[in-house]
Amino acid sequence: MRKPLSLLEKIQHPLFDKHNIDVRVKRDDLLHDIISGNKWRKLKYNLEQLKKNNYQGALTFGGSYSNHIHAFAYACKQENIPCVGVIRGESHYVNNFTLRWARHWGMHCYFVDRKTYRRRFETGFIDELSKIYPHHFIIPEGGSNTFAIPGVAEVLTELNSQTDFDTLITPVGSGGTLAGLISGDSVANSKQHKILGVAVLKQAEYLVDEVKCLLTPEGLTHKNWELLTTFHRGGYGKFSSVDVERIIAFNQHTGITFEPVYSGKMILALLDLISQDYFKAHERIVLLHTGGLQGLGGMIEQGRLNAKDWPILPKVAHE
Ligand SMILES: Cc1ncc(COP(=O)(O)O)c(C=O)c1O
């Protein structure tokens, strides 16, 4: 995969002016139409590892609307690597927006029920899968493993060459992205920034330990990071009509599309935190846009969002 340097874009909002806050967006959503955002970062060294070791294929895990599954299928197609997605949920999802594209790009979907899916970290289950799909490189759900960390850490190398800033914010699902950012911020000679993760799921406190497990030794020395666990809006994939209206208004104002499952929850957290005077005056904040805009396709298909509010969709899901 080529070496990226994504744009850093300053955005305006009346609330930022009122509280004297400077906000920029690291546009990782623009790294690639399909393998966008943190998917690009997390897959970079995973794919390198895969190619170096002559595996016969690659296997990963995800929900039936997973951004990771979608991006992984496309990345494997590009690299000519046979790939398998172990999908949580019944096979009637096979033609939904995400899986239609994943299969179109060559992914074989292996459906398991929710109970079986919960075994995705168990050695016994991995062994069973390895018998069905021998010599496959196995990448966990969300692509969050140790190979993901150096790829995400490169965000900090780029940012340090692009701007001075105080605080970096990212949405958090499995914790790999947050761990990569903390690790990247911990390298010698660079000033340590505040790193905030906005958990998009309920009862996410357990993720603090997951993040620590993924940190590099340098990352473990970073003390200025926090996982915010109260901005999940009801749980993973949940949001109210008011949440959606606020995200759409913000998108229209800034001209950047944030979706309601990950990056949109980060935006709502940012707006709420600014209103609560969480940030100091003149604080310079960078938001990591983690992509995932293909997820809009499934939500529109399910009638949860209205297509007219999300004109970006055709651009992020195509041949
Ligand atoms: C668009 C998007 N943003 C953020 C995240 C959260 O990243 P992580 O799982 O590394 O915490 C995900 C899930 O991987 C995602 O798909």
Side-chain angles (χ1 to χ4, degrees), residues 38-39 42 67 142 144 171-178 259 262 290-292:
N38 61 347
K39 303 298 164 256
K42 292 203 273 189
N67 295 320
S144 289
V172 177
S174 61
T177 305
L178 180 58
E259 47 66 51
Y262 290 100
T290 49

Side-chain angles (χ1 to χ4, degrees), residues 9 18 27 33 41 85-86 90 100 110-111 113 121 129 146 151 197 206 211 228 243 248 251-252 256 260 264 279 310:
E9 192 172 333
K18 188 171 163 211
R27 298 291 310 272
D33 283 351
R41 306 283 185 180
V86 178
E90 308 306 333
R100 215 164 52 231
Y110 181 83
F111 287 93
D113 59 31
F121 301 112
L129 290 169
T146 50
Y206 75 95
V211 170
L228 305 174
D243 294 335
I248 292 170
N251 291 352
Q252 287 169 350
I256 301 176
F279 301 106
W310 308 91

Side-chain angles (χ1 to χ4, degrees), residues 273-297:
L273 288 168
I274 294 176
S275 301
Q276 294 160 17
D277 284 322
Y278 177 91
F279 301 106
K280 57 183 187 316
H282 308 292
E283 192 154 332
R284 297 159 302 176
I285 297 167
V286 173
L287 306 172
L288 180 65
H289 195 318
T290 49
L293 299 177
Q294 73 82 29
L296 295 167

Side-chain angles (χ1 to χ4, degrees), residues 52-247:
K52 221 165 48 192
N53 289 289
N54 291 321
Y55 287 97
Q56 277 177 18
L59 179 148
T60 195
F61 303 82
S64 45
Y65 291 98
S66 158
N67 295 320
H68 168 64
I69 288 290
H70 188 261
F72 186 73
Y74 192 84
C76 287
K77 172 195 115 107
Q78 269 197 325
E79 302 287 347
N80 239 336
I81 300 165
C83 78
V84 179
V86 178
I87 310 293
R88 180 191 60 222
E90 308 306 333
S91 54
H92 63 260
Y93 289 118
V94 75
N95 283 322
N96 79 13
F97 184 88
T98 305
L99 298 184
R100 215 164 52 231
W101 282 108
R103 290 190 306 113
H104 174 77
W105 296 320
M107 176 178 268
H108 171 71
C109 292
Y110 181 83
F111 287 93
V112 294
D113 59 31
R114 283 166 189 271
K115 189 165 163 232
T116 310
Y117 192 81
R118 267 184 240 122
R119 297 179 58 214
R120 64 194 176 282
F121 301 112
E122 285 175 21
T123 320
F125 185 47
I126 303 288
D127 288 347
E128 283 168 35
L129 290 169
S130 300
K131 284 198 187 108
I132 307 171
Y133 302 106
H135 307 296
H136 276 55
F137 183 54
I138 298 184
I139 298 177
E141 182 181 63
S144 289
N145 57 7
T146 50
F147 298 113
I149 302 304
V152 178
E154 287 172 2
V155 171
L156 267 298
T157 321
E158 292 179 21
L159 269 179
N160 285 327
S161 74
Q162 288 172 307
T163 189
D164 283 330
F165 65 100
D166 303 300
T167 303
L168 173 61
I169 312 184
T170 183
V172 177
S174 61
T177 305
L178 180 58
L181 296 178
I182 298 165
S183 298
D185 199 41
S186 309
V187 289
N189 302 325
S190 82
K191 168 184 168 252
Q192 280 196 356
H193 304 94
K194 180 163 42 165
I195 316 259
L196 292 179
V198 176
V200 301
L201 50 142
K202 235 194 263 313
Q203 293 167 340
E205 292 74 15
Y206 75 95
L207 283 171
V208 170
D209 286 335
E210 304 278 314
V211 170
K212 285 183 185 162
C213 281
L214 285 168
L215 290 175
T216 56
E218 294 83 17
L220 281 167
T221 67
H222 198 303
K223 299 294 173 223
N224 197 8
W225 66 272
E226 196 181 341
L227 179 71
L228 305 174
T229 56
T230 56
F231 296 98
H232 53 73
R233 314 267 153 194
Y236 181 74
K238 298 201 174 146
F239 43 81
S240 68
S241 53
V242 175
D243 294 335
V244 175
E245 277 164 28
R246 289 177 72 201
I247 295 168

